[in-house]
Amino acid sequence: MRSISTVVFPVAGLGTRMLPATKVTPKELLPVYDTPLLQFAIEEALAAGAKRLVFVSHPAKSAIEAYLRPDPKLEGELEAKGKDELLEAVRACSVPEGVDVVFTMQEEQLGLGHAIHCAAPHVLDGPVGVILPDDLILGAPCMREMAEAFDPERMQSLIAAQRVPADRVSSYGIFDCDDADGTARTLAARGFVEKPAPADAPSNLAAVGRYVISPVVFDALTRTERGAGGEIQITDAIAATGSIHAFRFSGTRYDCGSKDGIVDATLAVQAARRQDTAPMAIAAE
Ligand code: G1P
């Protein structure tokens, strides 16, 4: 299988949409049934073969670093008390040996493109994956599907895509493409517009939070000026390369940056647990 060696997680956002839940707890650590949202993103990256995980975080969100740090004292206590299942659950969440964890800080909230650019000094060679943890995708691991579909000879980027209702286009990056309603797995687009007004939207095919980008996109980011919302947008950097490919993934996406999305995802994970199946079909080798 083709793999993606570096996956970037932009986690610096302050999660204001989820206040007061996010007043103290980073939104990425909110639970989806029994597991922090971020854990799903990490497992998805590992399933795509990632060897380095780069977290673009914020000093106010040190709980994310604490979550990723091994906790021998906790493990020792669980072991001493014979709480084997819990011990196993804690150990299953640790990043495996041989996978680097890198933290870098995005002090100023200058946009998703800026966050991804902050990761540039830390990425390994080859195409880089980006996972926005609050877009939870259950079912077939999306980044792995994208790693397999990404053709470096032909593409500078591959972006997970799904159709959204016409009145929701202004919340997304929208592809300018023919056949937005079709079923082809990958689709070349002419353009890519960040958060257009419904009247200006070139289609209703929207980007969701999974990207595979080549070094050419990182290069374009160095020249990308502030765009929609006054922020540096990854959408604009990708559009500037002229090589834009949308990818129709097979899993189900939950917008866990919204309260209802977290509830829907929680019910889906609860149902999977009851049937004893892995919600991220990660075990489906
Ligand atoms: C970001 C991107 C947008 C994309 C969306 C997917 O927006 O800028 O292009 O469609 O993620 O969730 P945000 O939701 O961070 O405003």
Side-chain angles (χ1 to χ4, degrees), residues 98-116:
V99 175
D100 311 328
V101 172
V102 178
F103 272 84
T104 184
M105 295 297 140
Q106 184 191 19
E107 307 272 349
E108 277 183 290
Q109 310 289 295
L110 298 180
L112 179 58
H114 176 256
I116 294 171

Side-chain angles (χ1 to χ4, degrees), residues 17 27 112-113 132 134-135 159-160 169 171-174 192-195 206-211 231-235 253 255:
R17 274 206 289 168
K27 65 176 173 177
L112 179 58
L132 309 189
D134 54 7
D135 271 335
I159 306 120
V169 288
S171 299
Y172 294 93
I174 299 292
F192 194 22
V193 196
E194 182 67 10
K195 302 194 171 94
V208 309
R210 301 292 180 280
Y211 304 78
E231 296 188 337
I232 297 171
Q233 300 293 351
I234 186 66
T235 303
R253 176 232 177 196
D255 175 9

Side-chain angles (χ1 to χ4, degrees), residues 197-220:
D200 303 329
S203 79
N204 68 345
L205 190 65
V208 309
R210 301 292 180 280
Y211 304 78
V212 176
I213 51 178
S214 76
V216 171
V217 176
F218 279 98
D219 194 44

Side-chain angles (χ1 to χ4, degrees), residues 8 10 13 16 24 40 53 104 107 145 149 168 173 192 195 207 235 240:
V8 175
T16 45
V24 176
F40 292 94
L53 312 178
T104 184
E107 307 272 349
E145 288 187 323
R168 298 284 300 133
F192 194 22
K195 302 194 171 94
T235 303

Side-chain angles (χ1 to χ4, degrees), residues 81-167:
K81 289 183 181 153
K83 299 196 168 174
D84 296 343
E85 263 184 45
L86 293 177
L87 178 61
E88 188 42 45
V90 169
R91 286 195 175 142
C93 289
S94 50
V95 172
E97 257 179 63
V99 175
D100 311 328
V101 172
V102 178
F103 272 84
T104 184
M105 295 297 140
Q106 184 191 19
E107 307 272 349
E108 277 183 290
Q109 310 289 295
L110 298 180
L112 179 58
H114 176 256
I116 294 171
H117 191 239
C118 290
H122 308 287
V123 304
L124 302 169
D125 280 349
V128 167
V130 178
I131 296 183
L132 309 189
D134 54 7
D135 271 335
L136 172 60
I137 298 181
L138 299 178
C142 183
M143 186 50 67
R144 174 152 139 184
E145 288 187 323
M146 291 174 71
E148 278 162 6
F150 185 77
D151 177 357
E153 306 285 304
R154 219 162 49 80
M155 301 172 181
Q156 303 296 353
S157 61
L158 187 62
I159 306 120
Q162 74 175 178
R163 287 175 60 201
V164 297
D167 62 355

Side-chain angles (χ1 to χ4, degrees), residues 23-101:
K23 187 171 171 219
V24 176
T25 307
K27 65 176 173 177
E28 294 80 7
L29 296 183
L30 293 178
V32 174
Y33 193 56
D34 55 3
T35 301
L37 194 45
L38 185 65
Q39 187 63 37
F40 292 94
I42 292 171
E43 291 182 12
E44 189 182 324
L46 296 174
K51 293 284 169 244
R52 178 169 293 181
L53 312 178
V54 182
F55 295 86
V56 182
S57 189
H58 186 276
K61 296 176 81 175
S62 57
I64 295 182
E65 281 166 89
Y67 176 75
L68 282 163
R69 222 177 281 132
D71 189 341
K73 188 162 171 274
L74 172 66
E75 291 184 25
E77 279 168 13
L78 293 172
E79 197 162 16
K81 289 183 181 153
K83 299 196 168 174
D84 296 343
E85 263 184 45
L86 293 177
L87 178 61
E88 188 42 45
V90 169
R91 286 195 175 142
C93 289
S94 50
V95 172
E97 257 179 63
V99 175
D100 311 328
V101 172

